[in-house]
Amino acid sequence: MLIQAHLGFAQLHRLELSKADYDLLSAMMDVQRPGGEVNASQAELRARVGLSKNRTSIAMNHLVERNIVLRPEGRYRSYFIHPYFAGYASQEEMEEALREATEAIKAGVLASPAPPAPQRHLSAVPTRRSA
């Protein structure tokens, strides 16, 4: 059983996740290796939670956009759960990973989990009137 950091989970409510987002994240946490590596395809994760292909893709995009899930370049079927949300084999491993993640965020190397950027609606754009 992995040790989860409460630091990230206490902030999940701010990240505006849907039920499908939570379900997909939960499936990823269930199959992660210590440190947050997930070697599973979206199809495998989808089967675990019963989402459609489209809904799974949307949920994964939400998790990536909010920096909860990290996608390494050029690696198929491989994801990393952000260190603030990942599970660890020991308390010491978790503390070291959180310390390193905090330093990486301060240095601009790792993105901090964040809610989506506000979207501008077309209703806010003034219409052009023709004479």
Side-chain angles (χ1 to χ4, degrees):
M1 182 170 192
L2 298 178
I3 299 169
Q4 301 290 146
H6 296 287
L7 176 66
F9 288 98
Q11 300 303 315
L12 269 178
H13 69 279
R14 295 179 325 118
L15 302 178
E16 300 178 24
L17 300 177
S18 69
K19 181 180 181 325
D21 301 344
Y22 276 108
D23 289 346
L24 185 59
L25 180 59
S26 177
M28 294 179 82
M29 290 181 166
D30 195 35
V31 299
Q32 74 176 311
R33 293 182 178 156
E37 184 176 6
V38 176
N39 289 316
S41 68
Q42 284 190 23
E44 292 166 335
L45 296 169
R46 174 174 73 238
R48 294 180 78 82
V49 293
L51 296 172
S52 70
K53 183 177 181 178
N54 186 46
R55 190 64 212 136
T56 302
S57 180
I58 292 169
M60 183 62 78
N61 285 335
H62 287 168
L63 295 173
V64 171
E65 288 171 356
R66 289 162 174 84
N67 304 314
I68 298 168
V69 172
L70 312 170
R71 278 190 178 151
E73 290 288 325
R75 291 189 55 189
Y76 173 71
R77 292 174 36 114
S78 186
Y79 304 93
F80 284 89
I81 298 172
H82 193 283
Y84 285 180
F85 303 99
Y88 300 95
S90 69
Q91 182 75 26
E92 294 78 24
E93 183 183 324
M94 179 185 69
E95 289 172 0
E96 179 64 23
L98 294 177
R99 190 172 22 263
E100 289 175 2
T102 301
E103 290 172 9
I105 289 169
K106 287 179 183 176
V109 178
L110 177 66
S112 179
Q119 294 194 1
R120 191 169 171 193
H121 295 284
L122 289 178
S123 62
V125 177
T127 57
R128 189 171 149 188
R129 296 184 185 181
S130 54

